[in-house]
Amino acid sequence: MMRLCILCDLQNAQIPVDYRRKILSLLKLGLSKTNNSLYNTLYGEGSNKQKDFSYSVYLPSPKFTKETIDLKSKRLMINFSTSDTEIGINLYNAFIHLRKQSIPFSTNNTITPQDINIVKEKQIINKKIVFKTMSPLVARDHNPETKKDWYFIHDDVSWSEILKRNLLFQLKNSSFNAPKIDVENMKIQPKAMKKTVIKLYDVHVTCSLGTFSIESEPYLLTYLYQTGLGSHRGLGFGMLDIV
């Protein structure tokens, strides 16, 4: 149960389109230095440990090309959120350890974490909340036999059902307990959303950005607010804020 905001300086204002994996590498570096046991649990060889957190990156006035993003300033902001206090404390410690260090980020560029702040969480008491995406929302249908993925966006008929299926899978591998019926009864409705395509490693992921409403039990809405929703949350997708 922790939200963090990390302000970082860049050596120059151009970053790669696939910057999310660079942020993940930064996180891994910090964890490996401050809690190698947790690092191995989350990212060690053969580990498929559930990542009960999500993150997003704020980019100042980005201009996109095919392979790079040009920023207005040489600074970016990383936001993290988790429902797991242990992970939250260790993420905080990881970035405190990296603070003021210039770390290789991409070709001819470095990133330097400067300020690490704990952000106060908003309280949820209502059964219907309007969320906005802080990072793209991925609704993924994975076929374990063919190993193929199908991605759905907000105007697909199956979008909300796929998101609920993703959530059930997330809960199955989490220490957080929620009755299946509460997820099945959840109502997800897009409000003002748009399609976007994000490069992730060598894959182009189709996803959605914008605002949407969820009607459910407050405890489950709080969990989604803290951990994010959808697939690839641990790779920089699905982080939510309350409108």
Side-chain angles (χ1 to χ4, degrees), residues 156-174:
D156 290 322
V157 174
S158 301
W159 181 69
S160 62
E161 291 304 315
I162 296 298
L163 283 175
K164 288 193 282 185
R165 191 184 305 172
N166 293 161
L167 177 55
L168 285 170
F169 179 80
Q170 177 181 339
L171 291 169
K172 181 181 177 181
N173 295 281
S174 171

Side-chain angles (χ1 to χ4, degrees), residues 52 83 170-171 174 176 219-227:
D52 278 331
S83 62
Q170 177 181 339
L171 291 169
S174 171
F176 184 82
Y219 82 92
L220 198 49
L221 295 173
T222 298
Y223 175 75
L224 295 177
Y225 170 57
Q226 292 173 342
T227 64

Side-chain angles (χ1 to χ4, degrees), residues 54-214:
S54 57
Y55 69 88
S56 65
V57 183
Y58 172 75
L59 305 175
S61 303
K63 293 184 179 180
F64 292 82
T65 66
K66 185 177 180 179
E67 297 296 334
T68 62
I69 305 172
D70 293 319
L71 307 178
K72 183 178 181 180
S73 66
K74 295 185 287 185
R75 170 165 280 201
L76 57 77
M77 182 169 63
I78 308 169
N79 299 287
F80 277 95
S81 182
T82 180
S83 62
D84 188 314
T85 302
E86 180 187 4
I87 289 179
I89 291 171
N90 278 281
L91 287 176
Y92 179 82
N93 290 338
F95 279 100
I96 287 292
H97 176 80
L98 297 176
R99 187 171 179 264
K100 303 296 184 181
Q101 295 184 41
S102 294
I103 298 157
F105 189 70
S106 58
T107 304
N108 300 320
N109 206 352
T110 62
I111 187 169
T112 306
Q114 295 287 1
D115 298 318
I116 299 91
N117 300 301
I118 298 175
V119 180
K120 185 178 179 180
E121 289 189 341
K122 300 171 185 175
Q123 299 298 310
I124 295 177
I125 58 174
N126 298 320
K127 288 192 172 184
K128 186 174 183 179
I129 292 291
V130 176
F131 287 111
K132 64 178 179 181
T133 57
M134 295 183 69
S135 52
L137 181 57
V138 178
R140 180 181 66 141
D141 186 20
H142 177 71
N143 187 319
E145 295 180 359
T146 64
K147 308 297 183 183
K148 290 185 177 180
D149 292 325
W150 297 93
Y151 294 98
F152 296 79
I153 60 171
H154 56 281
D155 55 4
D156 290 322
V157 174
S158 301
W159 181 69
S160 62
E161 291 304 315
I162 296 298
L163 283 175
K164 288 193 282 185
R165 191 184 305 172
N166 293 161
L167 177 55
L168 285 170
F169 179 80
Q170 177 181 339
L171 291 169
K172 181 181 177 181
N173 295 281
S174 171
S175 59
F176 184 82
N177 294 316
K180 184 178 180 181
I181 189 66
D182 284 352
V183 177
E184 293 174 341
N185 289 338
M186 181 182 290
K187 297 178 182 178
I188 306 175
Q189 295 287 337
K191 294 181 73 67
M193 305 199 79
K194 64 180 181 179
K195 171 186 173 181
T196 187
V197 179
I198 304 295
K199 184 178 180 181
L200 180 65
Y201 295 91
D202 294 322
V203 177
H204 287 85
V205 178
T206 303
C207 37
S208 304
L209 284 169
T211 59
F212 63 101
S213 65
I214 301 183

